[in-house]
Amino acid sequence: MAADRQATHGAMGMLTVGQPITKIQLIGKNALFASSGHNGLGQQLAAQVDRRRGEFRNKPYHMAIREVQSDFRSTIEPAFRIAGLAVNILGPPATQEVICHSLLGGIFKDGLRLVEITPQCAVEEMGLDMPFISVGSGKACADTFLGLLRKVYWPAKAPSVSEGTLAAYWTVRHAIDMRIQGVGFEVDVFALEEKTSAARQLAAEELVDHGQFIAETESAMRDVSLCKFACNTDPLRGHFASNS
């Protein structure tokens, strides 16, 4: 998991300033939880995960996640009811305080799982057919960039932990570089490895090689010889036609 550090302050849909926080949480030693949306609600949901985490290794995923889902609904349903009343007075911006989209990574009795939990508490496990997920204001940018990385590097297999770390880190850096609203500051990267059954945050020095790889890849893309293409410009339409 990787995330930027920008928490955006605001009221009634109006954004004000951003402050740096860590958006991904270590839950014990073998789970990761991240949320996007209302930070206070995310904290409450993280507490529910922490309450259940000791049961993960003793229960298969499909049983454990139902209990987590039930806990989340018990937290969110009162907030939704109040927002339903408030929207009649305050308008649609009142619903912003009940929007919390989250990700859970945990090691269950039947193995490691990465789970998307929607604001309505629907759950979906990520698998080889859908190996990545992004949430938050940078989602449109992140999904397309992750799709490109998968197409280029892992079209027929899953990445290793190191490769997955690179993809997550690179994607968030790209969103920050593109000045996506609500995305900013630095990148935090966390990993959960099934072999060691341990979750941890990667230190800055562990990301140096990834940063170097990104820089070299971008440089290599710039160095690809344009002489391979004979480009003709249509002056009326401003499009390029190329022949290799």
Side-chain angles (χ1 to χ4, degrees), residues 112-147:
L112 187 150
R113 299 288 190 275
L114 173 61
V115 188
E116 175 192 12
I117 306 173
T118 71
Q120 297 81 26
C121 295
V123 297
E124 182 174 6
E125 176 193 353
M126 302 298 104
L128 292 179
D129 55 338
M130 189 178 293
F132 63 81
I133 181 68
S134 62
V135 300
S137 57
K139 180 175 176 59
C141 175
D143 279 352
T144 52
F145 191 74
L146 282 165

PDB file of all heavy atoms in Angstrom, residues 112-147:
ATOM      1  N   LEU A 112      -3.153 -14.376   2.772  1.00  0.00           N
ATOM      2  CA  LEU A 112      -3.171 -12.914   2.715  1.00  0.00           C
ATOM      3  C   LEU A 112      -4.263 -12.436   1.772  1.00  0.00           C
ATOM      4  O   LEU A 112      -4.465 -13.012   0.699  1.00  0.00           O
ATOM      5  CB  LEU A 112      -1.802 -12.407   2.258  1.00  0.00           C
ATOM      6  CG  LEU A 112      -1.558 -10.905   2.282  1.00  0.00           C
ATOM      7  CD1 LEU A 112      -0.077 -10.618   2.541  1.00  0.00           C
ATOM      8  CD2 LEU A 112      -1.954 -10.261   0.947  1.00  0.00           C
ATOM      9  N   ARG A 113      -4.932 -11.362   2.156  1.00  0.00           N
ATOM     10  CA  ARG A 113      -5.982 -10.783   1.328  1.00  0.00           C
ATOM     11  C   ARG A 113      -5.852  -9.261   1.314  1.00  0.00           C
ATOM     12  O   ARG A 113      -5.495  -8.646   2.329  1.00  0.00           O
ATOM     13  CB  ARG A 113      -7.381 -11.136   1.865  1.00  0.00           C
ATOM     14  CG  ARG A 113      -7.685 -12.621   1.899  1.00  0.00           C
ATOM     15  CD  ARG A 113      -7.891 -13.181   0.500  1.00  0.00           C
ATOM     16  NE  ARG A 113      -8.416 -14.535   0.520  1.00  0.00           N
ATOM     17  CZ  ARG A 113      -7.688 -15.634   0.636  1.00  0.00           C
ATOM     18  NH1 ARG A 113      -6.366 -15.514   0.754  1.00  0.00           N
ATOM     19  NH2 ARG A 113      -8.244 -16.820   0.624  1.00  0.00           N
ATOM     20  N   LEU A 114      -6.153  -8.667   0.166  1.00  0.00           N
ATOM     21  CA  LEU A 114      -6.305  -7.224   0.042  1.00  0.00           C
ATOM     22  C   LEU A 114      -7.767  -6.968  -0.280  1.00  0.00           C
ATOM     23  O   LEU A 114      -8.297  -7.519  -1.256  1.00  0.00           O
ATOM     24  CB  LEU A 114      -5.412  -6.660  -1.064  1.00  0.00           C
ATOM     25  CG  LEU A 114      -5.615  -5.172  -1.399  1.00  0.00           C
ATOM     26  CD1 LEU A 114      -5.307  -4.301  -0.182  1.00  0.00           C
ATOM     27  CD2 LEU A 114      -4.754  -4.756  -2.579  1.00  0.00           C
ATOM     28  N   VAL A 115      -8.429  -6.125   0.521  1.00  0.00           N
ATOM     29  CA  VAL A 115      -9.871  -5.967   0.443  1.00  0.00           C
ATOM     30  C   VAL A 115     -10.237  -4.489   0.290  1.00  0.00           C
ATOM     31  O   VAL A 115      -9.733  -3.639   1.026  1.00  0.00           O
ATOM     32  CB  VAL A 115     -10.561  -6.517   1.710  1.00  0.00           C
ATOM     33  CG1 VAL A 115     -12.074  -6.538   1.534  1.00  0.00           C
ATOM     34  CG2 VAL A 115     -10.035  -7.902   2.058  1.00  0.00           C
ATOM     35  N   GLU A 116     -11.103  -4.216  -0.670  1.00  0.00           N
ATOM     36  CA  GLU A 116     -11.689  -2.896  -0.796  1.00  0.00           C
ATOM     37  C   GLU A 116     -13.000  -2.868  -0.020  1.00  0.00           C
ATOM     38  O   GLU A 116     -13.814  -3.793  -0.130  1.00  0.00           O
ATOM     39  CB  GLU A 116     -11.978  -2.571  -2.264  1.00  0.00           C
ATOM     40  CG  GLU A 116     -12.708  -1.239  -2.453  1.00  0.00           C
ATOM     41  CD  GLU A 116     -13.250  -1.060  -3.866  1.00  0.00           C
ATOM     42  OE1 GLU A 116     -13.256  -2.049  -4.638  1.00  0.00           O
ATOM     43  OE2 GLU A 116     -13.681   0.060  -4.179  1.00  0.00           O
ATOM     44  N   ILE A 117     -13.192  -1.809   0.786  1.00  0.00           N
ATOM     45  CA  ILE A 117     -14.437  -1.635   1.529  1.00  0.00           C
ATOM     46  C   ILE A 117     -15.019  -0.293   1.113  1.00  0.00           C
ATOM     47  O   ILE A 117     -14.440   0.760   1.381  1.00  0.00           O
ATOM     48  CB  ILE A 117     -14.205  -1.686   3.041  1.00  0.00           C
ATOM     49  CG1 ILE A 117     -13.459  -2.975   3.416  1.00  0.00           C
ATOM     50  CG2 ILE A 117     -15.535  -1.603   3.796  1.00  0.00           C
ATOM     51  CD1 ILE A 117     -13.026  -3.044   4.863  1.00  0.00           C
ATOM     52  N   THR A 118     -16.152  -0.316   0.434  1.00  0.00           N
ATOM     53  CA  THR A 118     -16.735   0.900  -0.122  1.00  0.00           C
ATOM     54  C   THR A 118     -17.397   1.731   0.982  1.00  0.00           C
ATOM     55  O   THR A 118     -17.601   1.247   2.102  1.00  0.00           O
ATOM     56  CB  THR A 118     -17.790   0.561  -1.188  1.00  0.00           C
ATOM     57  OG1 THR A 118     -18.949   0.013  -0.535  1.00  0.00           O
ATOM     58  CG2 THR A 118     -17.256  -0.428  -2.203  1.00  0.00           C
ATOM     59  N   PRO A 119     -17.766   2.981   0.687  1.00  0.00           N
ATOM     60  CA  PRO A 119     -18.465   3.794   1.695  1.00  0.00           C
ATOM     61  C   PRO A 119     -19.773   3.171   2.178  1.00  0.00           C
ATOM     62  O   PRO A 119     -20.231   3.479   3.274  1.00  0.00           O
ATOM     63  CB  PRO A 119     -18.718   5.116   0.954  1.00  0.00           C
ATOM     64  CG  PRO A 119     -17.599   5.205  -0.034  1.00  0.00           C
ATOM     65  CD  PRO A 119     -17.393   3.792  -0.499  1.00  0.00           C
ATOM     66  N   GLN A 120     -20.377   2.288   1.366  1.00  0.00           N
ATOM     67  CA  GLN A 120     -21.611   1.605   1.774  1.00  0.00           C
ATOM     68  C   GLN A 120     -21.324   0.266   2.452  1.00  0.00           C
ATOM     69  O   GLN A 120     -22.224  -0.514   2.711  1.00  0.00           O
ATOM     70  CB  GLN A 120     -22.522   1.376   0.561  1.00  0.00           C
ATOM     71  CG  GLN A 120     -23.007   2.652  -0.092  1.00  0.00           C
ATOM     72  CD  GLN A 120     -21.971   3.267  -1.024  1.00  0.00           C
ATOM     73  OE1 GLN A 120     -21.112   2.568  -1.563  1.00  0.00           O
ATOM     74  NE2 GLN A 120     -22.027   4.570  -1.202  1.00  0.00           N
ATOM     75  N   CYS A 121     -20.025  -0.014   2.686  1.00  0.00           N
ATOM     76  CA  CYS A 121     -19.577  -1.239   3.369  1.00  0.00           C
ATOM     77  C   CYS A 121     -19.714  -2.500   2.519  1.00  0.00           C
ATOM     78  O   CYS A 121     -19.791  -3.612   3.055  1.00  0.00           O
ATOM     79  CB  CYS A 121     -20.281  -1.440   4.710  1.00  0.00           C
ATOM     80  SG  CYS A 121     -19.879  -0.182   5.920  1.00  0.00           S
ATOM     81  N   ALA A 122     -19.754  -2.360   1.208  1.00  0.00           N
ATOM     82  CA  ALA A 122     -19.600  -3.529   0.348  1.00  0.00           C
ATOM     83  C   ALA A 122     -18.127  -3.915   0.360  1.00  0.00           C
ATOM     84  O   ALA A 122     -17.244  -3.057   0.455  1.00  0.00           O
ATOM     85  CB  ALA A 122     -20.056  -3.220  -1.070  1.00  0.00           C
ATOM     86  N   VAL A 123     -17.838  -5.206   0.308  1.00  0.00           N
ATOM     87  CA  VAL A 123     -16.446  -5.666   0.353  1.00  0.00           C
ATOM     88  C   VAL A 123     -16.113  -6.429  -0.926  1.00  0.00           C
ATOM     89  O   VAL A 123     -16.955  -7.137  -1.486  1.00  0.00           O
ATOM     90  CB  VAL A 123     -16.178  -6.557   1.586  1.00  0.00           C
ATOM     91  CG1 VAL A 123     -16.383  -5.777   2.866  1.00  0.00           C
ATOM     92  CG2 VAL A 123     -17.061  -7.797   1.572  1.00  0.00           C
ATOM     93  N   GLU A 124     -14.895  -6.265  -1.382  1.00  0.00           N
ATOM     94  CA  GLU A 124     -14.428  -6.988  -2.566  1.00  0.00           C
ATOM     95  C   GLU A 124     -12.960  -7.322  -2.405  1.00  0.00           C
ATOM     96  O   GLU A 124     -12.133  -6.454  -2.135  1.00  0.00           O
ATOM     97  CB  GLU A 124     -14.626  -6.165  -3.834  1.00  0.00           C
ATOM     98  CG  GLU A 124     -14.188  -6.903  -5.101  1.00  0.00           C
ATOM     99  CD  GLU A 124     -14.512  -6.150  -6.367  1.00  0.00           C
ATOM    100  OE1 GLU A 124     -14.987  -4.999  -6.286  1.00  0.00           O
ATOM    101  OE2 GLU A 124     -14.282  -6.712  -7.454  1.00  0.00           O
ATOM    102  N   GLU A 125     -12.656  -8.603  -2.550  1.00  0.00           N
ATOM    103  CA  GLU A 125     -11.269  -9.051  -2.464  1.00  0.00           C
ATOM    104  C   GLU A 125     -10.581  -8.847  -3.808  1.00  0.00           C
ATOM    105  O   GLU A 125     -11.125  -9.201  -4.855  1.00  0.00           O
ATOM    106  CB  GLU A 125     -11.232 -10.536  -2.073  1.00  0.00           C
ATOM    107  CG  GLU A 125      -9.835 -11.115  -2.056  1.00  0.00           C
ATOM    108  CD  GLU A 125      -9.833 -12.636  -1.970  1.00  0.00           C
ATOM    109  OE1 GLU A 125     -10.925 -13.228  -1.797  1.00  0.00           O
ATOM    110  OE2 GLU A 125      -8.745 -13.221  -2.091  1.00  0.00           O
ATOM    111  N   MET A 126      -9.396  -8.287  -3.768  1.00  0.00           N
ATOM    112  CA  MET A 126      -8.600  -8.158  -4.977  1.00  0.00           C
ATOM    113  C   MET A 126      -7.912  -9.493  -5.267  1.00  0.00           C
ATOM    114  O   MET A 126      -7.404 -10.143  -4.343  1.00  0.00           O
ATOM    115  CB  MET A 126      -7.544  -7.065  -4.817  1.00  0.00           C
ATOM    116  CG  MET A 126      -8.094  -5.688  -4.492  1.00  0.00           C
ATOM    117  SD  MET A 126      -9.175  -5.004  -5.783  1.00  0.00           S
ATOM    118  CE  MET A 126     -10.800  -5.233  -5.031  1.00  0.00           C
ATOM    119  N   GLY A 127      -7.886  -9.895  -6.538  1.00  0.00           N
ATOM    120  CA  GLY A 127      -7.246 -11.153  -6.927  1.00  0.00           C
ATOM    121  C   GLY A 127      -6.383 -10.965  -8.149  1.00  0.00           C
ATOM    122  O   GLY A 127      -6.133  -9.837  -8.587  1.00  0.00           O
ATOM    123  N   LEU A 128      -5.937 -12.061  -8.735  1.00  0.00           N
ATOM    124  CA  LEU A 128      -5.057 -11.972  -9.899  1.00  0.00           C
ATOM    125  C   LEU A 128      -5.750 -11.332 -11.091  1.00  0.00           C
ATOM    126  O   LEU A 128      -5.105 -10.731 -11.945  1.00  0.00           O
ATOM    127  CB  LEU A 128      -4.554 -13.376 -10.272  1.00  0.00           C
ATOM    128  CG  LEU A 128      -3.595 -14.021  -9.271  1.00  0.00           C
ATOM    129  CD1 LEU A 128      -3.193 -15.409  -9.750  1.00  0.00           C
ATOM    130  CD2 LEU A 128      -2.356 -13.159  -9.067  1.00  0.00           C
ATOM    131  N   ASP A 129      -7.082 -11.477 -11.162  1.00  0.00           N
ATOM    132  CA  ASP A 129      -7.813 -10.858 -12.262  1.00  0.00           C
ATOM    133  C   ASP A 129      -8.044  -9.373 -12.020  1.00  0.00           C
ATOM    134  O   ASP A 129      -8.352  -8.624 -12.961  1.00  0.00           O
ATOM    135  CB  ASP A 129      -9.153 -11.562 -12.490  1.00  0.00           C
ATOM    136  CG  ASP A 129     -10.005 -11.602 -11.223  1.00  0.00           C
ATOM    137  OD1 ASP A 129      -9.430 -11.473 -10.125  1.00  0.00           O
ATOM    138  OD2 ASP A 129     -11.226 -11.781 -11.337  1.00  0.00           O
ATOM    139  N   MET A 130      -7.916  -8.919 -10.790  1.00  0.00           N
ATOM    140  CA  MET A 130      -8.031  -7.500 -10.445  1.00  0.00           C
ATOM    141  C   MET A 130      -6.993  -7.209  -9.362  1.00  0.00           C
ATOM    142  O   MET A 130      -7.301  -7.110  -8.173  1.00  0.00           O
ATOM    143  CB  MET A 130      -9.438  -7.180  -9.940  1.00  0.00           C
ATOM    144  CG  MET A 130      -9.698  -5.682  -9.772  1.00  0.00           C
ATOM    145  SD  MET A 130     -11.394  -5.346  -9.217  1.00  0.00           S
ATOM    146  CE  MET A 130     -12.337  -5.862 -10.656  1.00  0.00           C
ATOM    147  N   PRO A 131      -5.726  -7.102  -9.759  1.00  0.00           N
ATOM    148  CA  PRO A 131      -4.636  -7.096  -8.780  1.00  0.00           C
ATOM    149  C   PRO A 131      -4.326  -5.761  -8.144  1.00  0.00           C
ATOM    150  O   PRO A 131      -3.430  -5.682  -7.310  1.00  0.00           O
ATOM    151  CB  PRO A 131      -3.450  -7.578  -9.623  1.00  0.00           C
ATOM    152  CG  PRO A 131      -3.745  -7.053 -10.994  1.00  0.00           C
ATOM    153  CD  PRO A 131      -5.237  -7.134 -11.146  1.00  0.00           C
ATOM    154  N   PHE A 132      -5.009  -4.707  -8.537  1.00  0.00           N
ATOM    155  CA  PHE A 132      -4.728  -3.420  -7.905  1.00  0.00           C
ATOM    156  C   PHE A 132      -6.021  -2.645  -7.677  1.00  0.00           C
ATOM    157  O   PHE A 132      -7.035  -2.882  -8.320  1.00  0.00           O
ATOM    158  CB  PHE A 132      -3.755  -2.585  -8.749  1.00  0.00           C
ATOM    159  CG  PHE A 132      -4.278  -2.204 -10.114  1.00  0.00           C
ATOM    160  CD1 PHE A 132      -5.140  -1.128 -10.267  1.00  0.00           C
ATOM    161  CD2 PHE A 132      -3.893  -2.900 -11.249  1.00  0.00           C
ATOM    162  CE1 PHE A 132      -5.620  -0.756 -11.524  1.00  0.00           C
ATOM    163  CE2 PHE A 132      -4.364  -2.541 -12.509  1.00  0.00           C
ATOM    164  CZ  PHE A 132      -5.227  -1.471 -12.642  1.00  0.00           C
ATOM    165  N   ILE A 133      -5.955  -1.724  -6.733  1.00  0.00           N
ATOM    166  CA  ILE A 133      -7.104  -0.893  -6.412  1.00  0.00           C
ATOM    167  C   ILE A 133      -6.587   0.452  -5.918  1.00  0.00           C
ATOM    168  O   ILE A 133      -5.544   0.520  -5.272  1.00  0.00           O
ATOM    169  CB  ILE A 133      -8.000  -1.568  -5.333  1.00  0.00           C
ATOM    170  CG1 ILE A 133      -9.230  -0.711  -5.006  1.00  0.00           C
ATOM    171  CG2 ILE A 133      -7.214  -1.855  -4.071  1.00  0.00           C
ATOM    172  CD1 ILE A 133     -10.224  -0.594  -6.123  1.00  0.00           C
ATOM    173  N   SER A 134      -7.297   1.505  -6.218  1.00  0.00           N
ATOM    174  CA  SER A 134      -6.957   2.819  -5.683  1.00  0.00           C
ATOM    175  C   SER A 134      -8.226   3.501  -5.216  1.00  0.00           C
ATOM    176  O   SER A 134      -9.315   3.246  -5.741  1.00  0.00           O
ATOM    177  CB  SER A 134      -6.245   3.674  -6.741  1.00  0.00           C
ATOM    178  OG  SER A 134      -7.090   3.901  -7.857  1.00  0.00           O
ATOM    179  N   VAL A 135      -8.091   4.350  -4.220  1.00  0.00           N
ATOM    180  CA  VAL A 135      -9.230   5.093  -3.693  1.00  0.00           C
ATOM    181  C   VAL A 135      -8.804   6.541  -3.471  1.00  0.00           C
ATOM    182  O   VAL A 135      -7.620   6.853  -3.408  1.00  0.00           O
ATOM    183  CB  VAL A 135      -9.742   4.486  -2.362  1.00  0.00           C
ATOM    184  CG1 VAL A 135     -10.185   3.043  -2.550  1.00  0.00           C
ATOM    185  CG2 VAL A 135      -8.678   4.566  -1.267  1.00  0.00           C
ATOM    186  N   GLY A 136      -9.776   7.415  -3.363  1.00  0.00           N
ATOM    187  CA  GLY A 136      -9.489   8.806  -3.067  1.00  0.00           C
ATOM    188  C   GLY A 136      -9.584   9.713  -4.273  1.00  0.00           C
ATOM    189  O   GLY A 136      -9.954   9.297  -5.376  1.00  0.00           O
ATOM    190  N   SER A 137      -9.213  10.979  -4.067  1.00  0.00           N
ATOM    191  CA  SER A 137      -9.358  11.980  -5.118  1.00  0.00           C
ATOM    192  C   SER A 137      -8.431  11.751  -6.293  1.00  0.00           C
ATOM    193  O   SER A 137      -8.666  12.264  -7.385  1.00  0.00           O
ATOM    194  CB  SER A 137      -9.109  13.379  -4.535  1.00  0.00           C
ATOM    195  OG  SER A 137      -7.831  13.460  -3.933  1.00  0.00           O
ATOM    196  N   GLY A 138      -7.383  10.971  -6.107  1.00  0.00           N
ATOM    197  CA  GLY A 138      -6.460  10.690  -7.213  1.00  0.00           C
ATOM    198  C   GLY A 138      -6.780   9.422  -7.969  1.00  0.00           C
ATOM    199  O   GLY A 138      -5.986   8.970  -8.797  1.00  0.00           O
ATOM    200  N   LYS A 139      -7.964   8.834  -7.733  1.00  0.00           N
ATOM    201  CA  LYS A 139      -8.288   7.531  -8.307  1.00  0.00           C
ATOM    202  C   LYS A 139      -8.238   7.505  -9.836  1.00  0.00           C
ATOM    203  O   LYS A 139      -7.699   6.565 -10.427  1.00  0.00           O
ATOM    204  CB  LYS A 139      -9.678   7.077  -7.826  1.00  0.00           C
ATOM    205  CG  LYS A 139     -10.098   5.716  -8.374  1.00  0.00           C
ATOM    206  CD  LYS A 139     -11.409   5.270  -7.768  1.00  0.00           C
ATOM    207  CE  LYS A 139     -11.890   3.961  -8.394  1.00  0.00           C
ATOM    208  NZ  LYS A 139     -10.926   2.853  -8.231  1.00  0.00           N
ATOM    209  N   ALA A 140      -8.806   8.517 -10.484  1.00  0.00           N
ATOM    210  CA  ALA A 140      -8.826   8.516 -11.958  1.00  0.00           C
ATOM    211  C   ALA A 140      -7.413   8.493 -12.521  1.00  0.00           C
ATOM    212  O   ALA A 140      -7.125   7.797 -13.501  1.00  0.00           O
ATOM    213  CB  ALA A 140      -9.589   9.737 -12.466  1.00  0.00           C
ATOM    214  N   CYS A 141      -6.518   9.241 -11.898  1.00  0.00           N
ATOM    215  CA  CYS A 141      -5.122   9.259 -12.335  1.00  0.00           C
ATOM    216  C   CYS A 141      -4.441   7.940 -11.998  1.00  0.00           C
ATOM    217  O   CYS A 141      -3.748   7.355 -12.825  1.00  0.00           O
ATOM    218  CB  CYS A 141      -4.386  10.426 -11.661  1.00  0.00           C
ATOM    219  SG  CYS A 141      -2.608  10.491 -11.980  1.00  0.00           S
ATOM    220  N   ALA A 142      -4.662   7.444 -10.785  1.00  0.00           N
ATOM    221  CA  ALA A 142      -3.977   6.241 -10.322  1.00  0.00           C
ATOM    222  C   ALA A 142      -4.397   4.998 -11.093  1.00  0.00           C
ATOM    223  O   ALA A 142      -3.559   4.165 -11.455  1.00  0.00           O
ATOM    224  CB  ALA A 142      -4.222   6.045  -8.827  1.00  0.00           C
ATOM    225  N   ASP A 143      -5.699   4.847 -11.339  1.00  0.00           N
ATOM    226  CA  ASP A 143      -6.172   3.641 -12.038  1.00  0.00           C
ATOM    227  C   ASP A 143      -5.561   3.521 -13.428  1.00  0.00           C
ATOM    228  O   ASP A 143      -5.131   2.432 -13.840  1.00  0.00           O
ATOM    229  CB  ASP A 143      -7.699   3.662 -12.146  1.00  0.00           C
ATOM    230  CG  ASP A 143      -8.378   3.195 -10.870  1.00  0.00           C
ATOM    231  OD1 ASP A 143      -7.675   2.714  -9.963  1.00  0.00           O
ATOM    232  OD2 ASP A 143      -9.614   3.309 -10.787  1.00  0.00           O
ATOM    233  N   THR A 144      -5.545   4.624 -14.165  1.00  0.00           N
ATOM    234  CA  THR A 144      -5.003   4.556 -15.525  1.00  0.00           C
ATOM    235  C   THR A 144      -3.504   4.317 -15.509  1.00  0.00           C
ATOM    236  O   THR A 144      -2.979   3.577 -16.350  1.00  0.00           O
ATOM    237  CB  THR A 144      -5.317   5.849 -16.293  1.00  0.00           C
ATOM    238  OG1 THR A 144      -4.889   6.985 -15.524  1.00  0.00           O
ATOM    239  CG2 THR A 144      -6.798   5.982 -16.550  1.00  0.00           C
ATOM    240  N   PHE A 145      -2.806   4.912 -14.551  1.00  0.00           N
ATOM    241  CA  PHE A 145      -1.356   4.723 -14.476  1.00  0.00           C
ATOM    242  C   PHE A 145      -1.022   3.295 -14.054  1.00  0.00           C
ATOM    243  O   PHE A 145      -0.123   2.654 -14.615  1.00  0.00           O
ATOM    244  CB  PHE A 145      -0.745   5.728 -13.503  1.00  0.00           C
ATOM    245  CG  PHE A 145       0.760   5.785 -13.568  1.00  0.00           C
ATOM    246  CD1 PHE A 145       1.402   6.394 -14.635  1.00  0.00           C
ATOM    247  CD2 PHE A 145       1.529   5.222 -12.567  1.00  0.00           C
ATOM    248  CE1 PHE A 145       2.787   6.434 -14.713  1.00  0.00           C
ATOM    249  CE2 PHE A 145       2.908   5.265 -12.628  1.00  0.00           C
ATOM    250  CZ  PHE A 145       3.541   5.875 -13.696  1.00  0.00           C
ATOM    251  N   LEU A 146      -1.746   2.767 -13.072  1.00  0.00           N
ATOM    252  CA  LEU A 146      -1.531   1.380 -12.659  1.00  0.00           C
ATOM    253  C   LEU A 146      -1.850   0.417 -13.797  1.00  0.00           C
ATOM    254  O   LEU A 146      -1.172  -0.600 -13.983  1.00  0.00           O
ATOM    255  CB  LEU A 146      -2.400   1.056 -11.442  1.00  0.00           C
ATOM    256  CG  LEU A 146      -1.895   1.563 -10.095  1.00  0.00           C
ATOM    257  CD1 LEU A 146      -2.996   1.495  -9.053  1.00  0.00           C
ATOM    258  CD2 LEU A 146      -0.683   0.760  -9.635  1.00  0.00           C
ATOM    259  N   GLY A 147      -2.895   0.745 -14.565  1.00  0.00           N
ATOM    260  CA  GLY A 147      -3.227  -0.089 -15.723  1.00  0.00           C
ATOM    261  C   GLY A 147      -2.108  -0.122 -16.736  1.00  0.00           C
ATOM    262  O   GLY A 147      -1.799  -1.171 -17.316  1.00  0.00           O
TER     263      GLY A 147
END
